[in-house]
Amino acid sequence: MGSYPEISFDNTEFAFEHKSDKELKKARFLFSTMSRQWLVKLGTRLTPWAIKSGIPINGLIRNTIFLQFVGGETLGETAVVAKKLKEYNVQVILDYGVEGGDDGENGFDHATKEFIRVIEYAATQSNIPFMSIKVTGFARFTLLEKLDHMMNHNSGTLMKRYLKAIDDLQPDEREEWHRVRRRMMSICETAAEKKVSVLVDAEETWIQDPVDALTILMMDAFNKEKVIVYNTIQLYRHDRLQFLKDSWAAAEERKFILGAKLVRGAYMEKERKRASENNYPSPIQADKDATDRDYNESLDFSIDHIDRIAVIVASHNEYSNLLATRLLREKNLPLNHPHVHFSQLYGMSDNITFNLAHAGCSVSKYLPFGPIKDVIPYLMRRAQENTSVKGQTGRELGLIKREMKRRHE
Ligand SMILES: Cc1cc2nc3c(=O)[nH]c(=O)nc-3n(C[C@H](O)[C@H](O)[C@H](O)COP(=O)(O)OP(=O)(O)OC[C@H]3O[C@@H](n4cnc5c(N)ncnc54)[C@H](O)[C@@H]3O)c2cc1C
């Protein structure tokens, strides 16, 4: 116990060691701009429209929000960022940013090939142990939505509801779903062969049940000895702590390691709006305290069952990150336990990432890359998440200003 370093997220020197004065100034400008709610509201509405209409705003995006939150447009550009992070013992979750493409079968096959290319690249790098995928990158959103809807009308366990829904699909849609499964299978097979882990992102609740079922089937197939596949659990949903426990019970029964990336959840407004418009109870917790309580309880549960669960603390919440380190210490487990990993989004909470790395934790940045038009939905979520001066933006700005002051005193 005595060998545990004291962890604090206040050290801005460690946090921003990797940034020049010029880069810090750019970040300060961006976070100040994003603190203007009206501007972000306008920007998040106009930008996707402007891109679609061919209005030349790519240069502006590339030099501002893209630069802050994205690794690059290509793998080559992103490799430069990944190498820089390696110098500070920070690992990378590589994310090819395509989502909800609905590009048709050719688009889905192309995205699958890209995911495989990312895995093959990651395998050649010592600090890229993970890559992330979105099932909407290689499956038709409306098919996922239909399956989810059918599953919700079936009874029994998740897997029973899933199998019955597949059976009830029209033959051409069943064939289409088999192609989705084959795409997922080929991604996971390559990942297992190359020893790179695949994190399956969670998206909207109305497509999540088939994504969960598919991911659990992959964990059952690939996670027997090593954890190759991770599911994402959104604790802003009031049913997810129980879902974590049910997933653990399935892992116990089927003898696989449960990969659990714990997040709070990124689609809160959209979820609440849809629930109220369609007159069904919101799947989201009543308030932030309830989300925090379930998030922290999930951490506790995961570390309590660390032999069977590999957990990723995917959060910018200082308390949750510290809690995870405290729980490890209490159980006399090393900070770099192979079943515990920490991660923050690239461009956010460097104070957490770099201070955890300094303390010897296994920690990464979630680093998306891709053509500007493909990463727009991701960037719009980051802009929305960073509008509150009281919340994340306030924290980021405060830290950047403190570091600038420290450097020039
Ligand atoms: C590595 C990584 C991977 C991620 N992958 C995914 C993913 O696959 N899917 C996904 O959805 N998100 C993902 N996220 C984003 C994540 O869900 C959160 O949006 C983001 O991290 C903010 O939560 P927090 O824990 O960092 O911090 P905090 O700032 O403590 O929490 C903010 C979050 O709390 C919740 N919240 C805020 N207000 C309320 C309220 N009134 N009632 C209930 N809940 C509230 C919301 O989820 C909000 O985003 C990922 C994040 C990281 C770091």
Side-chain angles (χ1 to χ4, degrees):
M1 298 267 264
S3 63
Y4 267 87
E6 211 38 65
I7 299 177
S8 147
F9 298 138
D10 291 339
N11 187 318
T12 59
E13 186 180 354
F14 290 165
F16 297 114
E17 227 173 340
H18 62 295
K19 279 206 190 297
S20 65
D21 285 357
K22 199 173 156 205
E23 286 166 333
L24 269 187
K25 271 192 189 153
K26 268 196 160 180
R28 183 182 61 181
F29 172 73
L30 185 73
F31 282 108
S32 316
T33 310
M34 285 194 302
S35 68
R36 294 190 188 115
Q37 273 198 16
W38 64 270
L39 200 62
V40 171
K41 250 191 192 150
L42 194 70
T44 48
R45 270 198 204 141
L46 287 186
T47 308
W49 169 82
I51 298 260
K52 265 192 205 133
S53 317
I55 294 170
I57 56 164
N58 276 10
L60 177 68
I61 294 176
R62 187 178 293 111
N63 281 311
T64 53
I65 189 165
F66 186 90
L67 189 71
Q68 178 69 24
F69 295 115
V70 180
E73 290 204 70
T74 61
L75 251 184
E77 282 172 25
T78 312
V80 178
V81 177
K83 285 208 171 81
K84 177 113 184 223
L85 292 170
K86 185 179 171 185
E87 286 171 33
Y88 302 91
N89 294 322
V90 172
Q91 302 169 52
V92 167
I93 298 175
L94 211 45
D95 170 50
Y96 170 58
V98 63
E99 55 187 86
D102 273 1
D103 287 343
E105 294 291 302
N106 287 342
F108 299 146
D109 285 338
H110 174 73
T112 308
K113 280 198 193 117
E114 281 297 303
F115 287 136
I116 288 176
R117 196 167 73 93
V118 171
I119 295 171
E120 283 165 351
Y121 173 75
T124 65
Q125 302 298 305
S126 60
N127 73 323
I128 314 187
F130 306 103
M131 58 88 68
S132 80
I133 61 170
K134 282 191 171 52
V135 175
T136 52
F138 55 86
R140 182 164 57 90
F141 192 94
T142 42
L143 178 62
L144 287 164
E145 201 173 0
K146 179 170 181 180
L147 268 175
D148 187 274
H149 184 75
M150 290 164 79
M151 286 175 73
N152 276 304
H153 284 84
N154 295 340
S155 56
T157 61
L158 177 81
M159 220 40 83
K160 274 200 183 125
R161 293 189 290 116
Y162 168 74
L163 294 174
K164 169 99 175 61
I166 304 287
D167 263 357
D168 291 345
L169 280 175
Q170 296 296 326
D172 56 333
E173 286 187 327
R174 198 174 318 126
E175 198 34 58
E176 186 183 346
W177 183 250
H178 284 320
R179 287 196 292 277
V180 172
R181 262 189 31 208
R182 277 200 292 272
R183 289 182 192 119
M184 181 88 157
M185 197 72 181
S186 66
I187 292 168
C188 294
E189 270 167 4
T190 313
E193 187 193 315
K194 301 283 178 187
K195 299 189 173 58
V196 172
S197 294
V198 173
L199 317 184
V200 184
D201 281 0
E203 301 174 72
E204 293 87 347
T205 47
W206 54 98
I207 59 162
Q208 194 58 41
D209 275 6
V211 172
D212 286 335
L214 190 58
T215 308
I216 290 173
L217 287 173
M218 295 298 136
M219 289 201 271
D220 188 33
F222 293 98
N223 286 11
K224 294 290 190 212
E225 273 134 45
K226 203 175 169 290
V227 57
I228 295 294
V229 183
Y230 286 78
N231 200 7
T232 298
I233 303 189
Q234 298 162 310
L235 280 310
Y236 68 2
R237 289 181 57 174
H238 49 64
D239 61 350
R240 292 292 97 169
L241 176 58
Q242 188 55 48
F243 175 67
L244 171 68
K245 293 178 180 174
D246 293 345
S247 302
W248 167 80
E252 276 287 293
E253 192 188 320
R254 302 275 317 166
K255 304 270 171 283
F256 65 84
I257 305 165
L258 172 66
K261 178 179 75 158
L262 303 181
V263 302
R264 281 181 169 77
Y267 305 86
M268 187 172 75
E269 305 298 336
K270 204 172 169 186
E271 291 283 354
R272 285 189 166 148
K273 187 162 175 263
R274 186 175 189 269
S276 107
E277 281 172 2
N278 292 289
N279 222 6
Y280 62 86
S282 169
I284 305 298
Q285 308 263 19
D287 53 33
K288 173 79 161 64
D289 283 351
T291 301
D292 290 346
R293 184 200 59 220
D294 278 10
Y295 190 94
N296 295 332
E297 229 176 275
S298 298
L299 276 178
D300 204 354
F301 182 85
S302 303
I303 294 176
D304 243 358
H305 298 89
I306 204 71
D307 54 329
R308 183 64 68 198
I309 303 181
V311 65
I312 299 183
V313 187
S315 173
H316 309 115
N317 184 294
E318 295 189 4
Y319 179 82
S320 295
N321 279 285
L322 275 181
L323 174 67
T325 64
R326 207 186 74 212
L327 291 167
L328 288 171
R329 181 186 330 211
E330 278 170 16
K331 293 189 189 310
N332 233 346
L333 297 166
L335 282 176
N336 62 352
H337 188 287
H339 277 186
V340 180
H341 183 75
F342 298 82
S343 188
Q344 289 76 42
L345 303 181
Y346 180 67
M348 285 169 72
S349 297
D350 286 347
N351 62 319
I352 298 182
T353 314
F354 289 85
N355 280 301
L356 283 175
H358 250 272
C361 295
S362 168
V363 59
S364 65
K365 283 296 193 194
Y366 180 101
L367 185 62
F369 76 95
I372 291 184
K373 70 171 178 32
D374 289 343
V375 295
I376 285 295
Y378 179 85
L379 289 177
M380 296 304 102
R381 284 202 297 282
R382 298 296 76 82
Q384 276 159 350
E385 186 167 79
N386 282 292
T387 49
S388 151
V389 200
K390 276 200 226 113
Q392 191 66 33
T393 296
R395 282 203 294 272
E396 300 290 352
L397 265 180
L399 290 161
I400 293 169
K401 284 181 185 162
R402 244 179 49 215
E403 174 59 7
M404 288 172 100
K405 191 162 169 241
R406 189 199 66 80
R407 285 188 191 181
H408 300 289
E409 252 171 8

